[in-house]
Amino acid sequence: MAVTTLKIDGKEVSANEDETILDVAFQAGIKIPTLCHIEGLTDIGACRMCIVEVAGSNKLQPACTTKVKDGMEITTQTARLKKYRKMVLEMLFSERNHVCAVCVSNGNCDLQTLAVEHDLTHVRMPYLYPKTEIDASHEWFALDQNRCVLCQRCVRVCDEIEGAHVWDVSGRGVQSRVITGLNEPWADSDTCTSCGKCVQVCPTGALSNKGKATGEMTKHREFLPYLAQRRHDHK
Amino acid sequence: MLLEELTAIAEKTRSERKEISVRCCMSSGCISSQAEEIKKALEMAVTEKNLGEKVEIRQVGCMGLCGKGPIVSVESEGLIYSDVTPENAASIIDALAGGKAVASQADPTHPFFTRQMLVVRSNGGRIDPDKIEDYIEAGGYSALYRVIHEYAPDQVINEVMKSGLRGRGGAGFPSGLKWSTVAKAKGDRKYIVCNGDEGDPGAFMDRSILEGDPHVVIEGMAIAGYAVGASLGYIYVRAEYPLAISRLQLAIKHAKRIGLLGDGIFDSTFNFNVEIRIGAGAFVCGEETALIASIEGRRGQPRPRPPFPAESGLWGRPTLINNVESLANIVPIINKGGEWYASLGTEKSKGTKVFALTGKIRNNGLIEVPMGITIRQIVEDLGGGTPDGKKIKAVQTGGPSGGCIPVELFDTPVDYESLMKVGSIMGSGGMVVMDEDTNMVDVAKFYMEFCVEESCGKCIPCRVGTVQMLNLLKMILERKATIRDLEALEELCEMVQNTSLCGLGQTAPNPVVSTLKYFRNEYLELLQPLPGEIIA
């Protein structure tokens, strides 16, 4: 694998050609905000938080799926990028009910953290608040669609790591919903192993352990890079 | 199959032709206005008049003048009948025996017919799409023979390069370059994909090609397969085109039966097969990466590019994805040469383009015109203006990814760059004419509703942004918005264009942006004053 050098925010860095901009930036200590990305799962470039500017291209590229190239000059923080990222967050807060004060993940939420980091003090767009369901049929876990940001982490971890593929997305556009099995109650899914990985990778309070009160749900993700590596070695 | 056999089929078909061919359009549009009954009535009239020796009734594909269908033509007499009914159909046969036809006639010398240049659609309306013999008689599959026996794969690619053909799906990527990228890409196998997921509102070019001349697409795919080294092709057709699907199925079956698809085509080592995949109603599956996911049996969602399908496409293999019309151009290019094709059109946009001319226009239908023709010529000469004499206001091209071109810019030539410069795009060929009664904010709302409905939901800017933009457009139309809302709309447009994952999202704001550019006043007229603002 060829080794290349490139510049991120003016800093010279070296990289392997199969690495993504996000990988390389992380190694260089440059922080690019992410939401749908999680270490250990295939990246899908869905949330657009990690978009960066690449010199010579007028298109913004997601850092998580864009491979580095020799001589690339990448900028991760510009006024334009910051504005767009903030608008992405605004859109998410306007899309469903994300009232932190009554959420089990209050204080331990990736969306909330991003909102604070991006100084999102209020939402200018009208709230859409669609009527969404709660599925608490599983013995240990609960799904609250109101908090879901459709990052598809649950879909990916179940498919790629657990190998069960219980989760998927149904519907489209703003009507999209994560579903279990063939859009049946979680408890009726024949394939769910109740491993709980989906709950741990969920960035918000959409998936939680039952019995948690406001702010009590903390997530543990240390297992993921380890298991992902083991899966990778196995292949 | 050998060349002699191919020629024999052509000659046999020609010798069986009767003196007068009465062609009855049997494409979706005309069938929906009783073309099947008309064909029966024509056949009965032939029997009654004892003209069976001299006259034959043939089903053919689209003849173009869809708005005045059903269409029946008698080419040997130079007659085109429009708005035919089962009741007056028999009189068309009477006319052949000295009687008088009561069915209304279209003027074959009208610019609608004479200004067209038929390359892709040269067989459309002339051959029976269900008969491979008809296609062979028209010279079909001889290009494939020549390619296999006389061309090296890179010579084929060179011919396509020379032709200057650009992707007819809308983006206009040079086809030859795409072909050579796939040919050079490394992979244990490669695929050809024909994108027939035509979905722009008001567009039906690809449908008419698939319904009227399915073999030209299949032959084009086989030539592409030979050129890039693929032995399997998929045609992805939307489920809303049942007739196109059944005609394709039949065409593939016929081609397989006589050895024009399958193993060892024309006694060579080249193998090629074609399979059909049917869409499930998602517009976004016309986006190439979503289309690939759909063929693979996954949810039809786009993924970020690169890698481009030419490098890593279907099942991770190098894949050549071309639109129906692009592939339908291949046979004429091989037959007449890349240089001939490059002599048509403009400097950067070669050849012809098929448009579906719809909306407030007298001659609704399909037209194939050389690139570089102006919008005014299309709308006024071929289209014949509005049906009720009202003033034309704008033309929308490119569907939900395109924009509106106001009447002041109607002298813009139709080519990829010029349309882009005026804020629209070539698109796949939908051309919707709007008259003075059309409210442009309403037009923008219509397209935004379409995008809300068709957004896959994967990326946030498109999923939520389109809904927020639609809500603002509704507010403006309901006269509840202020200048601040218009500013918010413009900010959203810019953000969604720049941050969405795929082409659908990136272009979803275009109808708003272009109507704001040319018809800003119509927006401003609907706005409410800000609190405390004094209106002069």
Side-chain angles (χ1 to χ4, degrees):
Chain A
M1 187 53 66
V3 180
T4 65
T5 55
L6 58 149
K7 264 188 194 170
I8 305 181
D9 291 341
K11 188 172 171 182
E12 298 262 11
V13 290
S14 63
N16 282 320
E17 258 180 358
D18 66 337
E19 288 182 295
T20 64
I21 296 172
L22 190 65
D23 291 334
V24 180
F26 180 78
Q27 292 156 22
I30 296 164
K31 198 183 170 204
I32 300 173
T34 57
L35 179 57
C36 66
H37 164 83
I38 183 168
E39 180 72 31
L41 297 180
T42 311
D43 283 308
I44 56 171
C47 74
R48 319 309 285 172
M49 284 303 289
C50 70
I51 44 169
V52 293
E53 287 180 12
V54 180
S57 163
N58 53 4
K59 280 212 164 142
L60 304 176
Q61 300 288 352
C64 67
T65 59
T66 309
K67 296 268 196 306
V68 294
K69 278 201 198 97
D70 198 34
M72 243 182 184
E73 282 183 40
I74 297 153
T75 319
T76 69
Q77 304 292 338
T78 64
R80 180 163 83 131
L81 290 173
K82 282 181 192 164
K83 178 181 141 188
Y84 289 161
R85 287 174 187 150
K86 195 168 168 178
M87 281 177 85
V88 165
L89 292 171
E90 240 184 307
M91 284 180 178
L92 278 181
F93 276 94
S94 81
E95 187 185 17
R96 294 194 188 173
N97 185 325
H98 293 286
V99 182
C100 303
V102 291
C103 180
V104 287
S105 286
N106 188 12
N108 307 294
C109 169
D110 292 0
L111 180 64
Q112 190 181 37
T113 308
L114 283 168
V116 173
E117 283 170 3
H118 287 80
D119 204 19
L120 186 72
T121 50
H122 62 287
V123 176
R124 298 167 302 164
M125 299 169 198
Y127 292 107
L128 303 177
Y129 283 174
K131 187 179 176 295
T132 53
E133 304 291 323
I134 289 172
D135 181 353
S137 63
H138 193 281
E139 194 183 347
W140 304 324
F141 315 125
L143 161 66
D144 183 355
Q145 299 274 11
N146 290 300
R147 313 277 196 243
C148 176
V149 293
L150 291 166
C151 66
Q152 302 188 34
R153 284 188 191 176
C154 54
V155 178
R156 285 176 282 156
V157 79
C158 192
D159 179 45
E160 295 171 16
I161 305 295
E162 182 62 8
H165 203 131
V166 174
W167 291 100
D168 216 316
V169 182
S170 82
R172 65 188 186 208
V174 82
Q175 309 290 339
S176 300
R177 302 284 183 269
V178 289
I179 54 165
T180 44
L182 296 169
N183 200 6
E184 58 208 328
W186 196 345
D188 294 349
S189 162
D190 293 331
T191 44
C192 178
T193 62
S194 300
C195 72
K197 291 186 181 71
C198 51
V199 176
Q200 299 306 325
V201 297
C202 176
T204 67
L207 290 172
S208 62
N209 290 336
K210 279 186 172 175
K212 299 285 180 190
T214 304
E216 285 182 2
M217 183 67 213
T218 50
K219 309 251 167 136
H220 299 279
R221 294 166 184 155
E222 307 78 38
F223 72 94
L224 188 54
Y226 170 74
L227 282 185
Q229 188 60 45
R230 292 294 298 266
R231 293 275 182 281
H232 183 78
D233 294 347
H234 229 66
K235 279 179 194 162
Chain B
M1 172 66 68
L2 299 165
L3 188 61
E4 295 75 49
E5 293 172 70
L6 199 68
T7 326
I9 293 172
E11 273 164 16
K12 182 165 176 286
T13 316
R14 207 164 297 142
S15 68
E16 285 168 2
R17 280 267 176 278
K18 290 174 187 165
E19 197 183 315
I20 299 174
S21 266
V22 177
R23 294 169 180 153
C24 184
C25 173
M26 294 290 267
S27 56
S28 289
C30 287
I31 286 179
S32 68
S33 18
Q34 297 187 295
E36 279 167 333
E37 289 81 352
I38 290 164
K39 184 164 169 265
K40 269 186 213 138
L42 289 168
E43 280 161 353
M44 259 169 58
V46 169
T47 319
E48 274 170 21
K49 296 264 161 191
N50 256 327
L51 289 168
E53 292 281 301
K54 205 175 127 191
V55 180
E56 61 179 0
I57 311 294
R58 294 166 68 201
Q59 71 156 355
V60 295
C62 179
M63 286 182 259
L65 198 58
C66 308
K68 296 209 169 84
I71 303 285
V72 172
S73 82
V74 191
E75 196 181 72
S76 52
E77 318 284 312
L79 296 171
I80 300 170
Y81 294 98
S82 59
D83 296 305
V84 182
T85 64
E87 291 73 36
N88 68 21
S91 73
I92 295 173
I93 305 299
D94 290 349
L96 295 174
K100 195 174 177 324
V102 288
S104 54
Q105 289 187 21
D107 176 11
T109 61
H110 189 276
F112 182 85
F113 298 104
T114 57
R115 295 293 294 266
Q116 291 202 40
M117 184 186 277
L118 301 182
V119 174
V120 172
R121 287 178 27 82
S122 56
N123 288 334
R126 296 169 146 259
I127 65 166
D128 182 343
D130 284 343
K131 291 200 175 122
I132 193 169
E133 299 82 9
D134 267 30
Y135 179 68
I136 292 172
E137 194 222 324
Y141 288 104
S142 60
L144 179 62
Y145 177 87
R146 287 223 324 281
V147 159
I148 292 177
H149 286 287
E150 294 168 19
Y151 289 62
D154 56 347
Q155 283 175 298
V156 182
I157 293 171
N158 204 15
E159 214 57 49
V160 179
M161 286 260 200
K162 267 196 285 184
S163 76
L165 177 68
R166 294 170 66 176
R168 295 294 191 249
F173 189 81
S175 303
L177 188 58
K178 203 189 246 186
W179 284 37
S180 80
T181 313
V182 179
K184 281 179 186 156
K186 287 193 174 63
D188 58 345
R189 73 189 74 159
K190 295 173 187 179
Y191 296 101
I192 308 293
V193 173
C194 169
N195 184 346
D197 195 50
E198 178 177 61
D200 287 359
F204 50 97
M205 301 75 54
D206 295 351
R207 188 188 71 197
S208 98
I209 294 171
L210 293 173
E211 284 179 0
D213 196 8
H215 286 287
V216 80
V217 179
I218 294 170
E219 190 181 353
M221 288 177 75
I223 293 171
Y226 177 78
V228 305
S231 57
L232 182 56
Y234 289 94
I235 306 186
Y236 190 91
V237 193
R238 64 197 302 231
E240 291 86 340
Y241 287 177
L243 186 64
I245 293 166
S246 66
R247 290 209 171 134
L248 269 173
Q249 281 167 335
L250 197 65
I252 293 170
K253 201 168 111 188
H254 288 162
K256 275 187 183 157
R257 188 182 293 156
I258 59 172
L260 294 170
L261 285 177
D263 290 349
I265 298 170
F266 285 122
D267 226 10
S268 70
T269 54
F270 175 59
N271 309 331
F272 195 74
N273 274 300
V274 172
E275 287 182 23
I276 300 176
R277 287 291 178 272
I278 298 170
F283 177 74
V284 75
C285 284
E287 197 281 340
E288 56 184 15
T289 58
L291 188 149
I292 286 172
S294 179
I295 292 181
E296 288 173 351
R298 293 183 288 119
R299 179 177 161 86
Q301 280 187 158
R303 62 158 174 78
R305 300 175 306 180
F308 287 90
E311 198 186 319
S312 172
L314 203 52
W315 291 293
R317 306 308 203 302
T319 304
L320 176 71
I321 301 195
N322 276 149
N323 156 272
V324 169
E325 194 184 328
S326 309
L327 285 164
N329 269 304
I330 298 304
V331 172
I333 287 172
I334 297 298
N335 278 334
K336 296 190 182 170
E339 273 159 26
W340 162 79
Y341 194 85
S343 71
L344 313 174
T346 69
E347 196 199 331
K348 284 183 172 172
S349 304
K350 304 293 187 191
T352 60
K353 177 79 193 86
V354 184
F355 287 100
L357 194 57
T358 56
K360 305 282 177 63
I361 188 97
R362 196 181 297 267
N363 299 322
N364 264 300
L366 275 189
I367 53 166
E368 182 173 356
V369 286
M371 294 276 194
I373 191 171
T374 64
I375 294 171
R376 189 180 306 284
Q377 285 167 329
I378 292 181
V379 172
E380 291 176 5
D381 298 351
L382 281 84
T386 53
D388 44 15
K390 287 210 168 116
K391 264 199 255 161
I392 291 175
K393 186 177 195 175
V395 157
Q396 210 278 352
T397 68
S401 306
C404 293
I405 301 163
V407 71
E408 303 84 63
L409 294 173
F410 271 17
D411 289 318
T412 307
V414 172
D415 63 65
Y416 291 96
E417 280 74 24
S418 303
L419 289 178
M420 194 91 85
K421 210 184 283 170
V422 297
S424 188
I425 57 164
M426 175 76 74
S428 61
M431 201 174 256
V432 186
V433 181
M434 293 154 185
D435 71 8
E436 53 191 327
D437 292 344
T438 315
N439 177 331
M440 299 315 272
V441 187
D442 206 36
V443 170
K445 181 186 140 226
F446 168 82
Y447 283 106
M448 196 53 75
E449 268 170 349
F450 184 87
C451 291
V452 166
E453 183 72 23
E454 297 299 342
S455 166
C456 78
K458 183 175 179 177
C459 78
I460 299 160
C462 174
R463 183 177 79 224
V464 186
T466 51
V467 178
Q468 294 288 5
M469 287 189 283
L470 177 63
N471 287 347
L472 285 167
L473 287 167
K474 281 182 181 163
M475 262 173 73
I476 295 172
L477 278 165
E478 288 163 10
R479 295 177 182 275
K480 287 179 185 161
T482 67
I483 188 76
R484 298 279 169 270
D485 297 305
L486 189 64
E487 286 162 9
L489 178 65
E490 289 185 290
E491 194 184 0
L492 276 169
C493 284
E494 189 223 324
M495 184 266 184
V496 174
Q497 280 178 328
N498 284 309
T499 57
S500 290
L501 193 161
C502 81
L504 173 70
Q506 287 160 11
T507 58
N510 287 6
V512 181
V513 174
S514 86
T515 48
L516 266 171
K517 182 171 172 191
Y518 296 117
F519 304 96
R520 198 178 183 87
N521 262 338
E522 293 194 25
Y523 283 84
L524 295 177
E525 279 165 14
L526 291 165
L527 295 183
Q528 295 302 303
L530 286 168
E533 191 180 25
I534 296 159
I535 303 185

